Amino acid sequence: MDPGGSSRSAAWRGHIVQQLKHRDRIQSAMFQDLIRFYTGLLDRTSLTKGLLGRPPAERRSSLQQLKKTTGELAYKVLELQQQIEIKERVLQELQARLQKEDGRLAEASDAKRALRDEVEQVRQKNKALKAAYDALLQRQREAESKLREEKEKEERVLEDMMHQKKQAAARMNHRNERRSRARQATVQKQLQTAARSKVIEERGLSSSSSSAPTSRSTSPKPEDQDKSGGRGATRLFRSASASSPRFFSSIREMFDRKRRGHSVRSLEEHLLFPVGICLSARVPVRPLQVLEAHEQGINAVRFSFSSDLLATGGSDRVIKLWDVQAGSLTHRATLDGSTEGITCVEFDHMGRRILAASHNKSALLWRLDDSVPKVTLTGHSRKVTAARFTCVPHQVVTGSTDRTVRLWDLNRAACVQQGEVASFCSDLVCSDSSIISGHFDSKIRVWDSRAVSCVQELPSQGRVTSLDLSSDRRQLLSCCRDDGLQLLDLRWTNDRMCFRADGFKCGGDSTKAVISPDGCYLAAGSADGAVYIWNVSTGGLEARLPDRHSSSVSAVSWSLSGEHFVSVDRSRRAVLWSDV
């Protein structure tokens, strides 16, 4: 026998045995209930047979037991039937709910399809509206560019007109001076002629009244004639210069013409220099006027260079202008156009325009006679904290919390230079050839205004909230979150003074401090509503103004004339202070 064949036959038999066992298990599982039922019937049958073969007494007891067991089984059957009925009712309810939910699902699917159709229609409409908006935006940009060109032409025409007026005034002044000089020379010649004729007449009278008319007396010597003539001319010239009405009238005309000639000056020449020049600033001691200036908190305040106009900017998105007259503030105008709160305001040197920084990531420029912004400078990605006029005409500089400092050309309303830093910019000031910025990283940066490149970094006591330059542009004041002020001499950058006071606390990241116009005092508002004033020469606290503010003082401003001082707070209140 082949051993390989025997092993294959054994494996074949084992496989058949396993299949038979598997079939038995499946079939026995299928008939398990029937087998149990059949086994129960057999038990009952054997029980019945046993009862029939037993005595009657045992048979009766067994029957009773059987009845009892059968009753229990019947009761269980009834209970099971009731449970089956309950299950069937529950199943019917579930089926009904399922059908209802299927209907709702179908309705929701239909609504979903309808909404999808509506969304697609809205998308198509949005695409059409976007195309129309882009076309309108392009037209608006073209119109704005044309408007800027027209405004530039208008400004050039005005500049040409002003230049021509200046030249005409200069020519008129030159002609007036020539005429006055010619008239003066004519008057002098007339006076000399009159003096000579008077001398001749006096000499004629003296010769006719002489008691010894001789040839010597009637014909005097030439040297005597020269001497007497010289004395008489000198004497008569003095008397004529003091009493001649023609001389007075000619001199008066000459001065009138000179005065008229000097008065022919353009408005710009008059406004180049401020009217009020501060010789000695007055330290305020008491409030003159307290008013609710805005509907929300006030963030910025600034006097004009003529000291007769005040601007306040607040969280209510407007700038308000106030006339400063007779020790009171009178509302003059409201400038709107910003969509967010105002953070900084500043007048230009001519007193015709006002610049403001805003939380809406832009800076705005108004004319004082127009409540609508003339120029809007957009480009920052976060709020603009500072906006200043530079020393170059038609240029401004802005600082933002997007960590950039930007230089703008107002004629084009475009950014021409940009500098990036590693920290938020809180405030800016401009000197003759540089821009100085304060930052949250406790540093003060000096920029070259021509290229907006950082040329120097100066350390500060803490996070800088504001900067201010003295009138002579030699000292720089910085207010910091460490509750102190720092005065830096720009000529010697290592020379600095720190000012602190008990109770003074910087109230926010944008608290503004100022230097008095004569450079003798520093002023800042505190979180407790008081205003603190320091003496620069002594380094000590000069005054603490009484509490007229109900919240933190956000900014203060000193007029260039040194006569007025204003403080504002975050609860809409502005206070005008007096030195008496």
Side-chain angles (χ1 to χ4, degrees), residues 243-254:
S243 60
S244 174
R246 292 182 62 187
F247 180 75
F248 278 123
S249 62
S250 64
I251 297 299
R252 188 179 299 110
E253 259 186 72
M254 181 179 66

Side-chain angles (χ1 to χ4, degrees), residues 518-531:
D518 60 352
C520 296
Y521 302 99
L522 311 177
S526 176
D528 59 359
V531 178

Side-chain angles (χ1 to χ4, degrees), residues 418-574:
Q418 175 179 331
E420 297 183 358
V421 291
S423 178
F424 296 165
C425 176
S426 58
D427 202 1
L428 290 167
V429 291
C430 298
S431 63
D432 296 333
S433 61
S434 61
I435 300 168
I436 306 174
S437 60
H439 299 268
F440 282 11
D441 60 354
S442 303
K443 289 184 180 179
I444 299 172
R445 292 175 170 86
V446 182
W447 306 78
D448 185 353
S449 60
R450 295 167 296 182
V452 191
S453 59
C454 185
V455 296
Q456 189 177 8
E457 288 187 358
L458 306 175
S460 180
Q461 302 175 142
R463 189 162 56 186
V464 180
T465 65
S466 71
L467 297 176
D468 192 32
L469 271 180
S470 60
S471 300
D472 56 5
R473 301 184 183 276
R474 295 179 178 178
Q475 292 181 315
L476 176 68
L477 174 65
S478 63
C479 181
C480 305
R481 284 309 303 267
D482 68 338
D483 304 331
L485 276 65
Q486 177 178 270
L487 189 63
L488 179 68
D489 195 326
L490 296 179
R491 297 169 296 179
W492 301 280
T493 55
N494 292 327
D495 188 7
R496 63 189 66 196
M497 297 178 62
C498 297
F499 298 86
R500 299 181 183 275
D502 294 337
F504 175 76
K505 184 176 179 60
C506 185
D509 290 338
S510 60
T511 300
K512 303 289 190 299
V514 296
I515 307 176
S516 65
D518 60 352
C520 296
Y521 302 99
L522 311 177
S526 176
D528 59 359
V531 178
Y532 290 75
I533 299 176
W534 288 267
N535 191 312
V536 175
S537 60
T538 63
L541 186 66
E542 183 74 16
R544 181 186 182 276
L545 303 185
D547 301 336
R548 290 293 179 176
H549 295 280
S550 57
S551 64
S552 174
V553 178
S554 55
V556 293
S557 182
W558 221 314
S559 65
L560 190 62
S561 63
E563 298 178 0
H564 307 295
F565 183 86
V566 171
S567 58
V568 296
D569 61 25
R570 304 189 187 279
S571 62
R572 312 188 302 271
R573 184 172 295 178

